[in-house]
Amino acid sequence: MSNITIGQSIRRQRKKHGMTQAVLAQRVGLKTCQISWWETGRFFPSIFSAVCLADVFGISLDELVGRKVATNEEKERRTI
Protein backbone atom coordinates (compact mmCIF):
# COMPACT_ATOMS: atom_id res chain seq x y z
CA MET A 1 0.00 0.00 0.00
CA SER A 2 1.14 3.53 -0.56
CA ASN A 3 1.32 6.26 2.04
CA ILE A 4 -1.53 8.18 0.43
CA THR A 5 -4.79 8.20 2.35
CA ILE A 6 -8.15 7.55 0.75
CA GLY A 7 -9.05 11.18 1.49
CA GLN A 8 -5.99 12.42 -0.38
CA SER A 9 -6.84 10.10 -3.24
CA ILE A 10 -10.43 11.37 -3.43
CA ARG A 11 -9.22 14.96 -3.46
CA ARG A 12 -6.57 14.26 -6.11
CA GLN A 13 -9.03 12.40 -8.35
CA ARG A 14 -11.70 15.08 -7.88
CA LYS A 15 -9.29 17.83 -8.89
CA LYS A 16 -7.91 15.72 -11.76
CA HIS A 17 -11.46 15.50 -13.13
CA GLY A 18 -12.06 19.22 -12.60
CA MET A 19 -14.86 18.76 -10.07
CA THR A 20 -15.77 20.79 -7.03
CA GLN A 21 -16.82 18.99 -3.86
CA ALA A 22 -20.41 20.01 -4.63
CA VAL A 23 -20.30 18.50 -8.12
CA LEU A 24 -18.77 15.24 -6.84
CA ALA A 25 -21.35 15.06 -4.06
CA GLN A 26 -24.13 15.47 -6.60
CA ARG A 27 -22.63 12.77 -8.86
CA VAL A 28 -22.56 10.23 -6.00
CA GLY A 29 -25.83 11.38 -4.42
CA LEU A 30 -24.43 12.71 -1.15
CA LYS A 31 -23.97 15.99 0.70
CA THR A 32 -20.99 18.23 0.03
CA CYS A 33 -19.95 18.05 3.70
CA GLN A 34 -19.44 14.28 3.35
CA ILE A 35 -16.91 14.80 0.56
CA SER A 36 -15.12 17.36 2.74
CA TRP A 37 -15.09 14.99 5.72
CA TRP A 38 -13.58 12.20 3.61
CA GLU A 39 -10.94 14.46 2.08
CA THR A 40 -9.87 15.75 5.51
CA GLY A 41 -9.85 12.28 7.06
CA ARG A 42 -12.63 13.03 9.54
CA PHE A 43 -14.60 10.05 8.25
CA PHE A 44 -14.10 7.26 5.70
CA PRO A 45 -16.51 6.45 2.90
CA SER A 46 -18.58 3.29 3.16
CA ILE A 47 -17.72 0.52 0.74
CA PHE A 48 -20.82 1.45 -1.29
CA SER A 49 -19.71 5.09 -1.47
CA ALA A 50 -16.16 4.04 -2.37
CA VAL A 51 -17.51 1.96 -5.27
CA CYS A 52 -19.56 4.95 -6.45
CA LEU A 53 -16.49 7.20 -6.25
CA ALA A 54 -14.35 4.73 -8.18
CA ASP A 55 -17.04 4.51 -10.86
CA VAL A 56 -17.31 8.30 -11.14
CA PHE A 57 -13.54 8.60 -11.46
CA GLY A 58 -13.23 5.60 -13.81
CA ILE A 59 -10.69 3.84 -11.57
CA SER A 60 -10.54 0.64 -9.54
CA LEU A 61 -11.12 0.47 -5.80
CA ASP A 62 -7.48 -0.54 -5.46
CA GLU A 63 -6.41 2.68 -7.12
CA LEU A 64 -8.83 4.74 -5.03
CA VAL A 65 -7.37 3.44 -1.77
CA GLY A 66 -3.78 3.62 -3.01
CA ARG A 67 -3.26 -0.14 -3.20
CA LYS A 68 -0.73 -1.38 -5.72
CA VAL A 69 -1.76 -4.75 -7.10
CA ALA A 70 1.18 -7.14 -7.27
CA THR A 71 2.08 -8.63 -10.63
CA ASN A 72 2.32 -12.40 -10.98
CA GLU A 73 6.11 -12.09 -10.97
CA GLU A 74 6.05 -10.19 -7.67
CA LYS A 75 3.69 -12.77 -6.17
CA GLU A 76 6.02 -15.61 -7.22
CA ARG A 77 9.02 -13.89 -5.61
CA ARG A 78 7.17 -13.69 -2.30
CA THR A 79 6.50 -17.42 -2.23
CA ILE A 80 10.13 -18.41 -2.78
Side-chain angles (χ1 to χ4, degrees):
M1 296 256 262
S2 79
N3 291 330
I4 189 168
T5 66
I6 190 167
Q8 292 169 326
S9 178
I10 292 168
R11 181 182 175 99
R12 184 171 46 203
Q13 288 293 328
R14 177 178 61 78
K15 288 184 174 281
K16 177 181 173 182
H17 288 85
M19 291 184 226
T20 63
Q21 288 180 343
V23 169
L24 179 57
Q26 184 179 21
R27 297 269 317 262
V28 294
L30 298 169
K31 295 180 181 180
T32 303
C33 62
Q34 290 174 282
I35 305 300
S36 175
W37 292 338
W38 295 339
E39 289 185 1
T40 60
R42 185 172 179 191
F43 295 102
F44 296 105
S46 69
I47 189 67
F48 176 78
S49 294
V51 169
C52 289
L53 289 167
D55 286 348
V56 165
F57 296 141
I59 60 174
S60 68
L61 279 175
D62 285 325
E63 190 173 349
L64 183 67
V65 299
R67 181 174 182 260
K68 180 180 178 269
V69 179
T71 64
N72 285 336
E73 184 178 302
E74 290 169 330
K75 289 176 188 175
E76 288 176 17
R77 275 189 261 148
R78 286 188 216 152
T79 59
I80 296 176

